């Protein structure tokens, strides 16, 4: 908005104040405007809304009988004569809204005295211009000022729109407004240092604005003016506080009112983003809970947890639809190196839509778990996830075969095996071929042996069995740390439960060979005993592993290791040292990193994650025993003869 400073300063001023006796005019003078009674001192901070030219009797045009903060350009005769009724005319102009008048230079002495008497500042043209030219230059200056004000407002609104799109807070907006207005602009509330500073002098006004009794207030604060705006609709409000020397002219007050509204919108956007993130985190937690129930084989519990999700949108409603299927598949998608796992999860969610459950794996920060209902032809999971893998080089995926939801944990184990194989697959995605080779080759009477081994669990109470057995099984499959994270218990608890279960079975949880036997017993016990199987004494494990079908299958499985350099010695040493990397590396005379690389390479050939804790070492041990590469005495048999 135009003020007298714009008209009287700068390289090309339009107006000037006539010389005042005892105080020459200085355009750069600072400080508040003088009282109206002392018009000899220039009031450059006075703003001007309108500018018009008066007639020879110093009257406003007929079509503008009143003005709002008007500047009246007064004509005079060629000799500088002023009307006889100059004082009356000037007082009439003041009553009509005129805040300053422009006199011809020749009329300045007499006109200045009349203006002083009327209480209105008097100025003169900066050059020898008539009233029309003076008015034209005033209006041109006003147009330039208004254009600049519009640009500043547009910058503020554009910045606010950009911040709103990015869900940023109002900090950048307030800095821009402070730069535009030349004041101090901030959002304050109790507990902030700026609130305490302002409240030291204007506490009552601040509290009234904050509590919503008034929406805005303007009060003096030392040598400046303090303008307050309530921000938002929720009480108590945050308060927009603006301090400026020389007061706040109307156009800046309007800008601050807009700023308060924009700050409220930005605050809402920030709160919305925060609430959305909280909700998203909560939903991810619920999805993890659904997965944990499935990993424990508790389908009913998973359904109960998923029921409230149906009201939160199609994607969450789809979780219940997935669980409604009797069977399904589990996929594990590994993010690309240096990729944020959240992007991988988003890609999976977009791929499966409302037809699957997508969970950030709680056990491995690289993995995203996708649970999908069974597809009759088995091709849908691969078709859905292949584009996800192709989107980003380095992504991998492993997909299990279909299983009932009670065997979700086995599906996850199969997906991890397939993921290991995917590292050597050009497409980066592999579907697991089925059950373990040993399970497929062992005769039905091996299940009798498994039930005999698990008979020791009867020593445990019902509560111990319900809690410890599922955890122990997952610890055997994935290791105690990963199992604990998948099931929502800590590593120590998982280890304690594993120890309790294996001791009841007559095994030592610290030995990899003992864990391999327990793992095999649990997997065999999941298979039904054929009804036509004749009652017989349980066979020994060592005898079962030496039967021809088992030996042949194990030999074929290990044939792929012929591509590697001395794999039997490396694996035998590793297993003999209970899979401890440091002891194995020392025994083989190699660096631990070299050992890890060679184990990873062998695991890729066998499609087993040998670099991770879990069932992979168990399977390698049993394969090597069955193939005769390790003695059968390497595995204990808690149900064997003499036990």
């Amino acid at each position: 908005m135009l003020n007298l400073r714009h008209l009287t300063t700068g390289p090309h001023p339009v107006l000037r104040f006539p010389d005042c006796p005892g105080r020459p005019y200085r355009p750069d003078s600072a400080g508040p405007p003088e009282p109206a009674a002392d018009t000899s001192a220039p009031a450059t901070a006075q703003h001007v809304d309108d500018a018009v030219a008066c007639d020879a009797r110093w009257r406003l045009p007929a079509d503008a009988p009143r003005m709002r903060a008007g500047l009246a350009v007064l004509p005079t005769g060629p000799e500088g004569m002023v009307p006889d009724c100059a004082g009356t005319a000037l007082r009439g102009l003041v009553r009509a809204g005129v805040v300053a008048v422009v006199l011809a230079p020749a009329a300045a002495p007499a006109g200045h005295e009349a203006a002083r008497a009327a209480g209105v500042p008097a100025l003169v043209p900066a050059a020898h211009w008539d009233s029309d030219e003076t008015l034209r230059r005033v209006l041109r200056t006003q147009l330039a000022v208004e254009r600049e004000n519009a640009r500043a407002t547009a910058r503020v609104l554009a910045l606010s729109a950009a911040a709103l799109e990015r869900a940023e807070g109002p900090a950048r907006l307030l800095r821009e407004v402070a730069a535009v207005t030349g004041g101090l602009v901030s959002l304050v509330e109790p507990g902030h240092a700026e609130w305490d500073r302002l409240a030291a002098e204007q506490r009552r006004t601040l509290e009234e604005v904050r509590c919503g009794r008034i929406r805005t207030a303007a009060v003096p604060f030392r040598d400046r003016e303090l303008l307050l705006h309530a921000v938002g609709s929720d009480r108590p409000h945050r308060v927009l506080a603006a301090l400026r020397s020389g007061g706040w002219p109307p156009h800046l007050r309007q800008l601050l009112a807009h700023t308060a509204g924009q700050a409220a919108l930005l605050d809402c956007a920030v709160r919305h983003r925060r609430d959305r993130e909280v909700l998203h985190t909560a939903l991810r937690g619920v999805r993890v809970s659904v997965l944990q129930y499935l990993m424990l084989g508790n389908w009913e519990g998973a359904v109960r947890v998923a029921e409230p999700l149906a009201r939160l949108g199609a994607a969450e409603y789809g979780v219940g639809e997935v669980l409604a299927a009797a069977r399904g598949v589990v996929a594990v998608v590994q993010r690309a190196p240096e990729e944020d796992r959240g992007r991988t999860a988003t890609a999976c969610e977009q791929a499966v839509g409302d037809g699957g459950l997508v969970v950030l794996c709680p056990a491995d920060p690289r993995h995203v778990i996708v649970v999908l209902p069974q597809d009759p032809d088995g091709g849908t999971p691969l078709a859905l996830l292949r584009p996800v893998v192709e989107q980003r080089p380095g992504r991998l995926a492993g997909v299990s075969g279909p299983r009932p939801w009670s065997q979700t944990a086995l599906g996850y184990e199969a997906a991890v095996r397939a993921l290991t194989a995917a590292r050597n697959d050009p497409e980066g995605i592999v579907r697991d071929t089925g059950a373990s080779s040993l399970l497929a080759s062992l005769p039905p009477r091996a299940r009798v042996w498994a039930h005999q081994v698990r008979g020791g669990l009867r020593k445990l109470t019902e509560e111990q069995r319900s809690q410890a057995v599922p955890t122990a099984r997952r610890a055997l499959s994935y290791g105690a740390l990963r199992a604990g994270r998948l099931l929502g218990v800590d590593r120590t608890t998982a280890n304690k439960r594993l120890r309790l279960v294996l001791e009841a079975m007559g095994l030592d949880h610290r030995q990899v060979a003992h864990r391999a036997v327990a793992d095999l017993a649990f997997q065999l016990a999941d298979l039904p005993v054929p009804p036509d199987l004749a009652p017989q004494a349980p066979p020994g494990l060592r005898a079962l592993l030496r039967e021809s079908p088992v030996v042949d299958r194990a030999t074929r499985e290990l044939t792929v290791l012929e591509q590697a350099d001395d794999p039997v010695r490396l694996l035998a040493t590793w297993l003999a040292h209970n899979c401890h990397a440091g002891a194995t590396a020392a025994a083989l005379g190699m660096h631990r990193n070299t050992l890890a690389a060679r184990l990873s390479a062998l695991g890729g050939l066998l499609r087993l994650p040998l670099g991770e804790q879990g069932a992979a070492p168990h399977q390698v041990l049993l394969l090597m025993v069955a193939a005769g590469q390790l003695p059968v005495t390497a595995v204990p048999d808690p149900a064997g003869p003499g036990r």
Side-chain angles (χ1 to χ4, degrees), residues 293-349:
Y293 273 107
L294 291 177
M295 296 291 282
L296 290 169
N298 189 345
W299 176 83
E300 294 84 358
V303 171
R304 285 196 302 271
V305 171
E307 280 178 356
L309 298 179
R311 297 188 295 271
L312 299 178
E316 305 304 332
Y317 177 78
V319 175
E321 295 293 306
V322 171
L323 297 178
R327 297 162 63 87
V329 300
V330 179
V332 177
V333 181
Q334 181 172 302
R335 62 169 173 79
E338 308 302 327
E339 182 187 15
D340 177 29
R341 183 170 61 159
R343 292 182 177 272
T344 309
T346 300
C348 293
E349 290 170 350

Coordinates of all heavy atoms in Angstrom, one line a residue, residues 293-349:
Y293 N 0.5 -64.5 14.0 CA -0.4 -65.5 14.3 C -0.4 -66.6 13.3 O -0.5 -67.8 13.6 CB -1.9 -64.9 14.4 CG -2.3 -64.4 15.7 CD1 -2.3 -63.0 15.9 CD2 -2.6 -65.2 16.8 CE1 -2.7 -62.5 17.2 CE2 -2.9 -64.7 18.0 CZ -3.0 -63.4 18.2 OH -3.3 -62.9 19.4
L294 N -0.2 -66.3 12.0 CA -0.1 -67.3 11.0 C 1.2 -68.1 11.2 O 1.2 -69.3 11.0 CB -0.1 -66.6 9.6 CG -1.4 -66.0 9.2 CD1 -1.3 -65.3 7.8 CD2 -2.5 -67.1 9.1
M295 N 2.3 -67.5 11.6 CA 3.5 -68.2 11.8 C 3.4 -69.2 12.9 O 4.1 -70.2 12.9 CB 4.7 -67.2 12.1 CG 5.0 -66.3 10.9 SD 5.7 -67.1 9.5 CE 7.4 -67.3 10.1
L296 N 2.5 -68.9 13.9 CA 2.3 -69.8 15.0 C 1.2 -70.9 14.6 O 0.9 -71.7 15.5 CB 1.8 -69.0 16.2 CG 2.9 -68.2 16.9 CD1 2.3 -67.2 17.9 CD2 4.0 -69.0 17.5
G297 N 0.7 -70.8 13.4 CA -0.3 -71.7 13.0 C -1.7 -71.4 13.6 O -2.6 -72.2 13.5
N298 N -1.9 -70.2 14.1 CA -3.2 -69.8 14.7 C -4.0 -69.0 13.7 O -4.0 -67.8 13.7 CB -2.9 -69.0 16.0 CG -4.2 -68.8 16.8 OD1 -5.3 -68.9 16.3 ND2 -4.0 -68.4 18.0
W299 N -4.6 -69.7 12.8 CA -5.4 -69.0 11.8 C -6.6 -68.2 12.4 O -6.9 -67.1 12.0 CB -5.9 -70.0 10.8 CG -6.9 -69.5 9.8 CD1 -6.5 -68.8 8.6 CD2 -8.3 -69.4 9.8 NE1 -7.6 -68.4 7.9 CE2 -8.7 -68.8 8.6 CE3 -9.2 -69.9 10.7 CZ2 -10.1 -68.6 8.3 CZ3 -10.6 -69.7 10.4 CH2 -11.0 -69.1 9.2
E300 N -7.2 -68.8 13.4 CA -8.3 -68.1 14.1 C -7.9 -66.8 14.7 O -8.6 -65.8 14.6 CB -9.0 -69.0 15.1 CG -9.7 -70.2 14.6 CD -8.7 -71.4 14.4 OE1 -7.5 -71.2 14.6 OE2 -9.1 -72.5 13.9
G301 N -6.7 -66.8 15.4 CA -6.2 -65.6 15.9 C -5.9 -64.5 14.9 O -6.2 -63.3 15.1
A302 N -5.4 -64.9 13.7 CA -5.1 -64.0 12.7 C -6.3 -63.4 12.1 O -6.4 -62.2 11.8 CB -4.3 -64.7 11.5
V303 N -7.4 -64.2 12.0 CA -8.7 -63.6 11.5 C -9.2 -62.6 12.5 O -9.7 -61.5 12.1 CB -9.7 -64.8 11.3 CG1 -11.1 -64.2 11.0 CG2 -9.2 -65.7 10.1
R304 N -9.2 -62.9 13.8 CA -9.7 -61.9 14.8 C -8.9 -60.6 14.7 O -9.5 -59.5 14.9 CB -9.6 -62.5 16.2 CG -10.6 -63.6 16.5 CD -10.7 -63.9 18.0 NE -9.4 -64.3 18.5 CZ -9.0 -65.6 18.6 NH1 -9.8 -66.5 18.1 NH2 -7.8 -65.8 19.1
V305 N -7.6 -60.7 14.6 CA -6.8 -59.5 14.5 C -7.1 -58.7 13.3 O -7.2 -57.4 13.3 CB -5.3 -59.8 14.6 CG1 -4.5 -58.6 14.3 CG2 -5.0 -60.4 15.9
A306 N -7.4 -59.4 12.2 CA -7.6 -58.7 10.9 C -9.0 -58.1 10.7 O -9.3 -57.3 9.9 CB -7.4 -59.7 9.7
E307 N -10.0 -58.6 11.6 CA -11.4 -58.1 11.4 C -11.5 -56.6 11.5 O -12.2 -56.0 10.6 CB -12.3 -58.8 12.5 CG -12.7 -60.2 12.1 CD -13.5 -60.8 13.2 OE1 -13.7 -60.2 14.3 OE2 -13.9 -62.0 13.1
P308 N -10.9 -55.9 12.4 CA -11.1 -54.4 12.4 C -10.5 -53.7 11.2 O -10.9 -52.6 10.9 CB -10.3 -54.0 13.7 CG -10.2 -55.2 14.5 CD -10.1 -56.3 13.6
L309 N -9.6 -54.3 10.5 CA -9.1 -53.7 9.3 C -10.1 -53.5 8.2 O -9.9 -52.7 7.3 CB -7.9 -54.5 8.8 CG -6.7 -54.7 9.7 CD1 -5.6 -55.6 9.0 CD2 -6.1 -53.4 10.1
A310 N -11.2 -54.3 8.2 CA -12.1 -54.2 7.1 C -12.7 -52.8 7.0 O -13.2 -52.4 5.9 CB -13.2 -55.2 7.3
R311 N -12.7 -52.0 8.1 CA -13.4 -50.7 8.0 C -12.4 -49.6 7.5 O -12.7 -48.4 7.5 CB -13.9 -50.3 9.4 CG -15.0 -51.2 9.9 CD -15.6 -50.7 11.2 NE -14.7 -50.7 12.3 CZ -14.5 -51.7 13.1 NH1 -15.2 -52.8 12.9 NH2 -13.6 -51.6 14.1
L312 N -11.1 -50.0 7.2 CA -10.1 -49.0 6.9 C -9.8 -48.9 5.5 O -8.8 -48.3 5.1 CB -8.9 -49.3 7.7 CG -9.0 -49.3 9.2 CD1 -7.7 -49.7 9.9 CD2 -9.5 -47.9 9.7
G313 N -10.6 -49.5 4.6 CA -10.3 -49.3 3.2 C -10.2 -50.7 2.5 O -10.0 -51.7 3.1
A314 N -10.2 -50.6 1.2 CA -10.1 -51.9 0.4 C -8.8 -52.7 0.6 O -8.9 -53.9 0.7 CB -10.3 -51.5 -1.1
A315 N -7.7 -51.9 0.7 CA -6.4 -52.7 0.9 C -6.4 -53.4 2.2 O -5.9 -54.6 2.2 CB -5.3 -51.7 0.8
E316 N -6.9 -52.8 3.3 CA -7.0 -53.5 4.5 C -8.1 -54.6 4.6 O -7.9 -55.6 5.2 CB -7.1 -52.5 5.7 CG -6.1 -51.4 5.7 CD -4.7 -52.0 5.7 OE1 -4.5 -53.1 6.3 OE2 -3.8 -51.3 5.2
Y317 N -9.2 -54.3 3.9 CA -10.3 -55.3 3.8 C -9.8 -56.5 3.1 O -10.2 -57.7 3.5 CB -11.4 -54.7 3.1 CG -12.6 -55.6 2.9 CD1 -13.5 -55.9 3.9 CD2 -12.8 -56.3 1.7 CE1 -14.5 -56.8 3.8 CE2 -13.9 -57.2 1.5 CZ -14.7 -57.4 2.6 OH -15.8 -58.3 2.4
G318 N -8.8 -56.4 2.2 CA -8.3 -57.5 1.4 C -7.6 -58.5 2.3 O -7.5 -59.7 2.0
V319 N -7.1 -58.1 3.5 CA -6.4 -59.0 4.4 C -7.3 -60.1 4.8 O -7.0 -61.3 4.8 CB -5.8 -58.2 5.6 CG1 -5.2 -59.2 6.6 CG2 -4.8 -57.2 5.1
G320 N -8.6 -59.7 5.2 CA -9.6 -60.7 5.6 C -9.9 -61.6 4.4 O -10.2 -62.8 4.6
E321 N -10.0 -61.0 3.2 CA -10.2 -61.9 2.0 C -9.2 -62.9 1.8 O -9.4 -64.0 1.4 CB -10.4 -61.0 0.8 CG -11.6 -60.0 0.9 CD -12.9 -60.7 0.8 OE1 -13.1 -61.5 -0.1 OE2 -13.7 -60.5 1.7
V322 N -7.9 -62.5 2.1 CA -6.8 -63.5 1.9 C -6.9 -64.6 2.9 O -6.8 -65.8 2.6 CB -5.5 -62.7 2.1 CG1 -4.3 -63.7 2.2 CG2 -5.2 -61.7 1.0
L323 N -7.2 -64.2 4.2 CA -7.4 -65.3 5.2 C -8.6 -66.2 5.0 O -8.6 -67.3 5.5 CB -7.4 -64.6 6.6 CG -6.2 -63.8 7.0 CD1 -6.4 -63.2 8.3 CD2 -5.0 -64.7 7.0
A324 N -9.6 -65.7 4.2 CA -10.7 -66.5 4.0 C -10.4 -67.7 3.1 O -11.1 -68.7 3.1 CB -11.8 -65.6 3.3
A325 N -9.3 -67.6 2.3 CA -8.9 -68.7 1.5 C -8.3 -69.8 2.4 O -7.7 -69.5 3.5 CB -7.9 -68.3 0.5
A326 N -8.5 -71.0 2.0 CA -8.0 -72.2 2.9 C -6.5 -72.3 2.8 O -5.9 -72.7 3.8 CB -8.7 -73.5 2.4
R327 N -5.9 -72.0 1.7 CA -4.5 -72.1 1.5 C -3.9 -70.9 0.8 O -4.6 -70.0 0.3 CB -4.2 -73.4 0.6 CG -4.7 -74.7 1.2 CD -4.8 -75.8 0.1 NE -3.5 -76.1 -0.5 CZ -2.7 -76.9 0.0 NH1 -2.9 -77.6 1.1 NH2 -1.5 -77.2 -0.7
G328 N -2.6 -70.8 0.9 CA -2.0 -69.6 0.3 C -0.5 -69.9 0.1 O 0.0 -70.9 0.4
V329 N 0.2 -68.9 -0.4 CA 1.6 -68.9 -0.7 C 2.2 -67.7 0.1 O 1.6 -66.7 0.3 CB 2.0 -68.8 -2.2 CG1 1.3 -70.0 -2.9 CG2 1.5 -67.5 -2.8
V330 N 3.5 -67.9 0.4 CA 4.3 -66.9 1.0 C 5.4 -66.5 0.1 O 6.1 -67.4 -0.4 CB 4.8 -67.3 2.4 CG1 5.7 -66.3 3.1 CG2 3.7 -67.8 3.3
A331 N 5.6 -65.2 -0.1 CA 6.7 -64.7 -0.9 C 7.6 -63.8 0.0 O 7.1 -63.1 0.8 CB 6.2 -64.0 -2.1
V332 N 8.9 -63.9 -0.3 CA 9.8 -62.9 0.4 C 10.5 -62.2 -0.7 O 11.2 -62.7 -1.6 CB 10.9 -63.7 1.2 CG1 11.9 -62.7 1.8 CG2 10.2 -64.5 2.4
V333 N 10.4 -60.8 -0.7 CA 11.0 -59.9 -1.7 C 12.1 -59.2 -1.0 O 11.9 -58.6 0.1 CB 10.0 -58.9 -2.2 CG1 10.6 -58.0 -3.3 CG2 8.8 -59.7 -2.8
Q334 N 13.3 -59.3 -1.6 CA 14.5 -58.6 -1.0 C 14.7 -57.3 -1.7 O 14.7 -57.3 -3.0 CB 15.7 -59.5 -1.1 CG 17.0 -58.9 -0.5 CD 18.1 -59.8 -0.4 OE1 18.0 -60.9 0.2 NE2 19.2 -59.5 -1.1
R335 N 14.8 -56.2 -1.0 CA 15.1 -54.9 -1.6 C 16.4 -54.9 -2.3 O 17.3 -55.7 -2.1 CB 15.1 -53.8 -0.6 CG 16.2 -53.9 0.5 CD 16.3 -52.7 1.3 NE 17.2 -52.9 2.5 CZ 18.6 -52.8 2.4 NH1 19.1 -52.6 1.2 NH2 19.3 -53.0 3.4
A336 N 16.6 -54.0 -3.3 CA 17.9 -53.8 -4.0 C 18.9 -53.2 -3.0 O 18.5 -52.5 -2.0 CB 17.7 -52.9 -5.2
P337 N 20.2 -53.4 -3.3 CA 21.2 -52.7 -2.4 C 21.0 -51.2 -2.4 O 20.7 -50.6 -3.4 CB 22.5 -53.1 -3.1 CG 22.2 -54.4 -3.9 CD 20.7 -54.3 -4.3
E338 N 21.1 -50.6 -1.3 CA 21.0 -49.2 -1.0 C 19.6 -48.7 -1.2 O 19.4 -47.5 -1.2 CB 22.0 -48.4 -2.0 CG 23.4 -48.9 -1.9 CD 24.0 -48.8 -0.5 OE1 23.6 -47.9 0.2 OE2 24.8 -49.6 -0.2
E339 N 18.6 -49.6 -1.4 CA 17.2 -49.1 -1.6 C 16.5 -49.0 -0.3 O 16.8 -49.9 0.6 CB 16.5 -50.1 -2.5 CG 15.0 -49.6 -2.8 CD 14.2 -50.6 -3.6 OE1 14.7 -51.8 -3.7 OE2 13.2 -50.3 -4.1
D340 N 15.6 -48.1 -0.1 CA 14.8 -48.0 1.1 C 13.8 -49.1 1.0 O 13.0 -49.2 0.0 CB 14.1 -46.6 1.1 CG 13.2 -46.5 2.3 OD1 13.4 -47.2 3.3 OD2 12.2 -45.8 2.2
R341 N 13.7 -49.9 2.0 CA 12.7 -51.0 2.0 C 11.3 -50.6 1.9 O 10.4 -51.3 1.3 CB 12.9 -51.9 3.3 CG 12.0 -53.1 3.3 CD 12.3 -54.0 4.4 NE 12.1 -53.4 5.7 CZ 12.0 -54.1 6.9 NH1 11.9 -55.4 6.8 NH2 11.8 -53.5 8.0
G342 N 11.0 -49.3 2.3 CA 9.6 -48.8 2.2 C 9.2 -48.8 0.7 O 8.0 -49.0 0.4
R343 N 10.1 -48.4 -0.2 CA 9.8 -48.4 -1.6 C 9.5 -49.7 -2.1 O 8.6 -49.9 -2.9 CB 11.0 -47.8 -2.4 CG 11.2 -46.3 -2.1 CD 12.4 -45.7 -2.9 NE 12.6 -44.3 -2.7 CZ 12.0 -43.4 -3.4 NH1 11.1 -43.7 -4.3 NH2 12.2 -42.1 -3.1
T344 N 10.2 -50.7 -1.7 CA 9.9 -52.1 -2.1 C 8.6 -52.5 -1.6 O 7.8 -53.1 -2.4 CB 11.0 -53.1 -1.5 OG1 12.3 -52.6 -1.8 CG2 10.9 -54.5 -2.1
A345 N 8.2 -52.2 -0.4 CA 6.9 -52.5 0.2 C 5.8 -51.8 -0.6 O 4.8 -52.4 -0.9 CB 6.8 -52.2 1.7
T346 N 6.0 -50.6 -0.9 CA 5.0 -49.8 -1.7 C 4.8 -50.5 -3.1 O 3.7 -50.6 -3.6 CB 5.5 -48.4 -1.9 OG1 5.6 -47.8 -0.6 CG2 4.4 -47.6 -2.7
A347 N 5.9 -50.9 -3.7 CA 5.8 -51.6 -5.0 C 5.0 -52.9 -4.9 O 4.2 -53.2 -5.7 CB 7.2 -51.9 -5.6
C348 N 5.3 -53.6 -3.8 CA 4.5 -54.9 -3.6 C 3.0 -54.6 -3.3 O 2.2 -55.3 -3.8 CB 5.1 -55.6 -2.4 SG 6.8 -56.3 -2.6
E349 N 2.7 -53.5 -2.5 CA 1.3 -53.2 -2.3 C 0.6 -52.8 -3.6 O -0.5 -53.2 -3.8 CB 1.3 -52.1 -1.3 CG 1.7 -52.5 0.1 CD 1.9 -51.3 1.1 OE1 1.8 -50.2 0.6 OE2 2.0 -51.5 2.3

